[in-house]
Amino acid sequence: MIHDTEESSVRSLTFQLSKLLPANARLMPVRRALFVQNVSSLKDDDVIVTVGADSFRLACSVVSEGAVIAAFIGKEEYLNIQPQCSIPVSGVFSGAPLDKRLNILEAIWFDRKPLAVIYSDHLFVDEQEMMNLADQHGFIFRFLKTETDRLSVLKSVNFVLEDSELIFSLVDTQLYKNGIAQDILRLLFHKQKVMIGPSFAFVRAGSLFAVYSDNEAKLKALAERLIMWDTKGVLLDAAYPDRLRVSFNSYLIKSHGIVLPSSSYLKDKYGLCSETQCE
């Protein structure tokens, strides 16, 4: 398991994942720098689990044996990096499918001004496909690719807000790192505009809502891929976990006069569980 996170975090992930795997499975957390030093010792039946986009990018650039499964990575990040891999690859995506997010937005957001999408060069974004799907829900996307330094990002945000009331975010590690996410949300708050976030952390920080999977769901999907590869030599396609949650920012919901669907409606209509009802 390649990572570059806090030791306590990766130990927790490794422990949780180990409980979902057969008793004879061996998990070994390895920091990115140490992995590069020992890459020549990999065997063709090894599976490399990468935590995050940077680890996935590294593995795809140096590994020629085994298979790679990327976890805690956005779909658009995965699609940008995956062509660099010369070995079998799969992934468990963070965030949620675009259609799920647009379903919720259509139910609660009646302003049909364009939805702004800002993204970095580290994503593969099929703008036409996204436009077609948005059209099915009565929305229009406006896209803007930006550099990832703070000044460029905030300039881009100001530019797209000229004709948009809402930023529709994608999972973009490089764009939102080093406190830039908080800067964007503060700017939106002052301008009385909102963002649809990619994770629960964004909801807590000030985005309107997010549809996402928790660690348990991601690790379950990861374990399924590891077991299938080990027992049948089949690598399941990269996908989002089956169980998705939705969380709303109560302050923004009230300030924008939004009436939310009930928890039971969210579950029955969209297959989403709320924070209070997720089994």
Side-chain angles (χ1 to χ4, degrees):
M1 180 179 286
I2 309 174
H3 71 98
D4 198 13
T5 59
E6 294 291 335
E7 291 295 338
S8 59
S9 298
V10 76
R11 280 199 301 269
S12 176
L13 286 176
T14 303
F15 176 71
Q16 293 175 63
L17 180 59
S18 67
K19 293 192 296 183
L20 301 172
L21 297 174
N24 62 347
R26 294 179 61 238
L27 290 173
M28 184 182 300
V30 181
R31 284 201 172 274
R32 290 206 301 260
L34 187 60
F35 172 77
V36 172
Q37 296 171 19
N38 295 276
V39 69
S40 60
S41 63
L42 286 172
K43 301 180 179 65
D44 60 6
D45 59 349
D46 286 337
V47 179
I48 302 98
V49 175
T50 62
V51 179
D54 290 339
S55 294
F56 184 45
R57 185 177 292 105
L58 173 67
C60 282
S61 67
V62 301
V63 171
S64 58
E65 301 287 347
V68 176
I69 302 177
F72 299 91
I73 185 172
K75 178 180 179 180
E76 291 79 13
E77 291 178 319
Y78 176 91
L79 292 175
N80 177 259
I81 301 168
Q82 186 270 337
Q84 303 171 26
C85 268
S86 59
I87 62 174
V89 296
S90 183
V92 178
F93 301 142
S94 296
L98 179 61
D99 190 50
K100 290 277 189 183
R101 305 172 80 203
L102 287 171
N103 272 331
I104 298 297
L105 193 61
E106 183 181 10
I108 67 173
W109 191 258
F110 304 113
D111 186 338
R112 288 307 188 253
K113 287 183 180 178
L115 309 177
V117 179
I118 302 172
Y119 66 97
S120 74
D121 198 41
H122 296 85
L123 304 190
F124 173 81
V125 175
D126 189 330
E127 294 186 0
Q128 188 59 56
E129 181 181 2
M130 287 185 65
M131 285 286 288
N132 292 343
L133 190 54
D135 183 62
Q136 296 175 25
H137 295 272
F139 292 110
I140 297 173
F141 281 131
R142 291 283 186 265
F143 298 93
L144 182 63
K145 187 181 289 189
T146 180
E147 299 295 325
T148 56
D149 62 280
R150 178 176 276 98
L151 181 59
S152 295
V153 173
L154 294 180
K155 281 184 176 179
S156 297
V157 171
N158 274 310
F159 178 76
V160 298
L161 291 179
E162 290 181 3
D163 65 350
S164 299
E165 298 294 322
L166 183 148
I167 291 180
F168 195 99
S169 65
L170 303 172
V171 177
D172 194 338
T173 305
Q174 295 300 317
L175 180 62
Y176 293 120
K177 66 181 182 180
N178 299 328
I180 293 179
Q182 288 84 350
D183 290 338
I184 294 173
L185 289 167
R186 279 193 291 267
L187 178 60
L188 292 173
F189 178 79
H190 289 304
K191 289 181 173 289
Q192 297 184 315
K193 307 292 180 76
V194 294
M195 170 189 280
I196 305 304
S199 69
F200 180 53
F202 273 73
V203 177
R204 288 185 298 180
S207 67
L208 184 64
F209 75 84
V211 183
Y212 59 96
S213 57
D214 58 16
N215 285 356
E216 181 183 352
K218 290 190 185 75
L219 292 175
K220 183 178 178 181
L222 174 58
E224 183 182 11
R225 281 155 178 76
L226 290 169
I227 293 170
M228 184 65 74
W229 176 256
D230 182 56
T231 58
K232 298 185 178 180
V234 174
L235 197 56
L236 299 175
D237 291 339
Y240 293 96
D242 292 334
R243 189 181 69 181
L244 295 171
R245 296 174 178 259
V246 59
S247 292
F248 299 93
N249 184 301
S250 57
Y251 172 81
L252 292 175
I253 291 296
K254 291 177 182 177
S255 64
H256 287 274
I258 294 172
V259 178
L260 293 180
S262 67
S263 295
S264 59
Y265 185 82
L266 289 169
K267 187 68 174 178
D268 295 340
K269 178 72 173 180
Y270 305 118
L272 299 172
C273 55
S274 66
E275 280 302 297
T276 56
Q277 294 188 8
C278 200
E279 299 178 357

